[in-house]
Amino acid sequence: MVDISRGTLGISGASELFQLLRDGTPRTRAELAATTGLARSTIALRVDELISLGLISPVSDAQSTGGRPSSQFALNPASKVVLAADLGVTHGVIAVANLSGRILAKTSGAIDIADGPETVLAWMVETGKTLLAELKLDLGDVISVGIGVPGPVEHSSGRPVNPPIMPGWDHFDVPGFVHEHFSVPVLVDNDVNIMALGEQAFAWPSVDNLIFVKVSTGIGSGVISSGLLQRGAQGIAGDIGHVQIARGNGTPCHCGNRGCLEAMASGPAIAKSLRDLGYETNDNASIIELVRQGNIDAIQAIRQAGRDLGEVLTACVSLMNPSVIIVGGSMAAVGEHIIAGVREIIYTRSMPLATSHLTIASSSAGSQAAILGAALLAIDHALSPESIDRMVS
Ligand SMILES: [Zn+2]
């Protein structure tokens, strides 16, 4: 269970000790000493530091008798909370979560991302404060804030960069704005990255190599490789929507290129292909409704979108050898038809070894993936070795 290799890397500080205890498994000082190779006296000192910060707490011993004080310690998930926000184009979700990622309170509301960052973030801040008050918590209980937005984000600064559907947000200092209200670290990422984090934690906690594909008004993916979310050099790793596909054949895309995956297989693209056949498909919901009615044109269009997706994902499979590919986003509500198209292409075009243990499935976390992921984004930062080091010092 315990990753012994961490002990051999020369654990010295309270932060490294805390990384062992973060998983919630109670451990004794002796177990911590054996794992880390540190002296019992050093362990005792570090444990006391972490207890005084409230980050870990004694856990009652199952086999203890006679009222002896507990000798086991574990993460104290109730010691602090994070504020999480999933900001969509027309809908925002705000939640407060404890340090193990459990959502303590959640609310949502209609927003218009095009109202600009000041308006939307002010709503987020006020809604967050209301949730904290309902939980009888105050600003001092918040250890970090995690926010997902529907556009590309420069990871180093937390600023959206040329977001196509977020007018007024380009290079806006989102962390700076929120930090004025909550004086804690503020993490910002694009929606599909947080969905990948949320889906992995919710349904695939032991899977280290996973691609989460969001198919909705746009198409994008969040890539987890060797257990870590991959953002790439500028934060746009996984942005597969504008890879050209064979069937694309000159179809203009809003990005300025032609034949992009997004121009062929996104919700609006499928809706248009069905309108060309005479259906009144004006939004994603109307496509989903047609599929639910068993309409053969709609099912074929969805299946073709799945094949298009599979074409691009086949290259992704070769590149990173995932063990799980998840299809989520609003169009995933069409069920198995899109997955069938993805499987059809990936299983026939990939190398056998790459697909022998590859699972391709619909999102299990569904609409919860993003808000859970936003909370995990905040928690991972707050409990990182660097953050714990700062708190201890
Ligand atoms: Zn494009």
Side-chain angles (χ1 to χ4, degrees):
M1 291 280 280
V2 174
D3 184 0
I4 302 293
S5 65
R6 297 184 198 187
T8 62
L9 293 173
I11 285 180
S12 57
S15 63
E16 286 84 353
L17 197 65
F18 178 71
Q19 299 310 311
L20 286 177
L21 291 163
R22 254 187 81 176
D23 66 3
T25 306
R27 293 181 176 85
T28 62
R29 290 189 182 87
E31 285 167 343
L32 289 168
T35 305
T36 61
L38 289 176
R40 289 285 291 271
S41 56
T42 308
I43 294 288
L45 201 64
R46 301 294 177 244
V47 163
D48 287 347
E49 283 173 350
L50 291 169
I51 289 176
S52 69
L53 285 168
L55 289 170
I56 66 171
S57 56
V59 177
S60 57
D61 297 335
Q63 286 99 5
S64 167
T65 53
R68 284 169 47 222
S70 169
S71 59
Q72 290 188 310
F73 306 90
L75 170 71
N76 175 16
S79 59
K80 291 281 180 185
V81 295
V82 297
L83 183 67
D86 164 29
L87 303 177
V89 177
T90 59
H91 189 75
V93 182
I94 312 292
V96 175
N98 73 12
L99 295 184
S100 61
R102 192 163 74 82
I103 304 289
L104 304 175
K106 187 174 73 169
T107 188
S108 61
I111 61 170
D112 185 351
I113 203 82
D115 285 342
E118 278 103 347
T119 304
V120 173
L121 293 174
W123 171 81
M124 189 208 105
V125 166
E126 285 314 307
T127 308
K129 286 178 178 172
T130 304
L131 278 185
L132 289 169
E134 284 170 13
L135 291 165
K136 301 201 168 19
L137 299 171
D138 57 44
L139 297 189
D141 292 310
V142 178
I143 197 170
S144 57
V145 178
I147 304 171
V149 296
V153 175
E154 183 183 64
H155 180 58
S156 59
S157 67
R159 294 171 187 246
V161 178
N162 297 322
I165 52 173
M166 299 170 68
W169 291 74
D170 188 25
H171 283 94
F172 185 82
D173 185 9
V174 177
F177 183 97
V178 177
H179 191 269
E180 283 180 20
H181 301 271
F182 298 91
S183 302
V184 294
V186 178
L187 290 303
V188 187
D189 212 329
N190 73 68
D191 53 359
V192 68
N193 276 353
I194 62 170
M195 289 167 91
L197 289 175
E199 179 73 23
Q200 186 207 26
F202 183 86
W204 309 92
S206 60
V207 169
D208 281 341
N209 296 285
L210 173 148
I211 299 177
F212 182 98
V213 189
K214 180 191 179 194
V215 186
S216 184
T217 305
I219 295 177
S221 76
V223 175
I224 293 172
S225 183
S226 299
L228 293 175
L229 183 67
Q230 302 297 316
R231 297 185 173 89
Q234 264 70 45
I236 63 158
D239 196 0
I240 60 172
H242 302 282
V243 174
Q244 199 177 57
I245 59 170
R247 193 172 70 93
N249 196 21
T251 305
C253 177
H254 63 83
C255 74
N257 277 327
R258 290 177 178 276
C260 299
L261 174 65
E262 190 164 301
M264 304 304 293
S266 63
I270 299 167
K272 183 183 180 306
S273 73
L274 288 169
R275 278 200 303 278
D276 291 346
L277 295 175
Y279 295 97
E280 290 184 13
T281 42
N282 295 311
D283 54 15
N284 295 353
S286 55
I287 305 168
I288 293 163
E289 182 53 33
L290 274 182
V291 171
R292 289 205 173 127
Q293 290 167 6
N295 180 284
I296 198 72
D297 290 327
I299 290 171
Q300 283 181 348
I302 289 290
R303 187 148 180 147
Q304 182 56 51
R307 290 189 197 103
D308 296 339
L309 213 51
E311 182 179 330
V312 175
L313 287 170
T314 299
C316 301
V317 166
S318 296
L319 191 66
M320 63 162 288
N321 186 202
S323 46
V324 173
I325 292 176
I326 297 298
V327 179
S330 62
M331 290 307 295
V334 295
E336 280 295 298
H337 301 295
I338 197 162
I339 299 287
V342 173
R343 287 190 184 125
E344 184 184 320
I345 300 301
I346 291 182
Y347 288 139
T348 49
R349 294 206 192 154
S350 298
M351 300 303 284
L353 188 58
T355 53
S356 58
H357 293 97
L358 173 64
T359 301
I360 302 171
S362 295
S363 169
S364 302
S367 61
Q368 304 303 308
I371 193 68
L372 178 59
L376 293 171
L377 183 70
I379 292 167
D380 269 349
H381 178 85
L383 302 187
S384 68
E386 297 73 23
S387 300
I388 300 297
D389 266 342
R390 270 196 299 277
M391 290 170 75
V392 171
S393 63

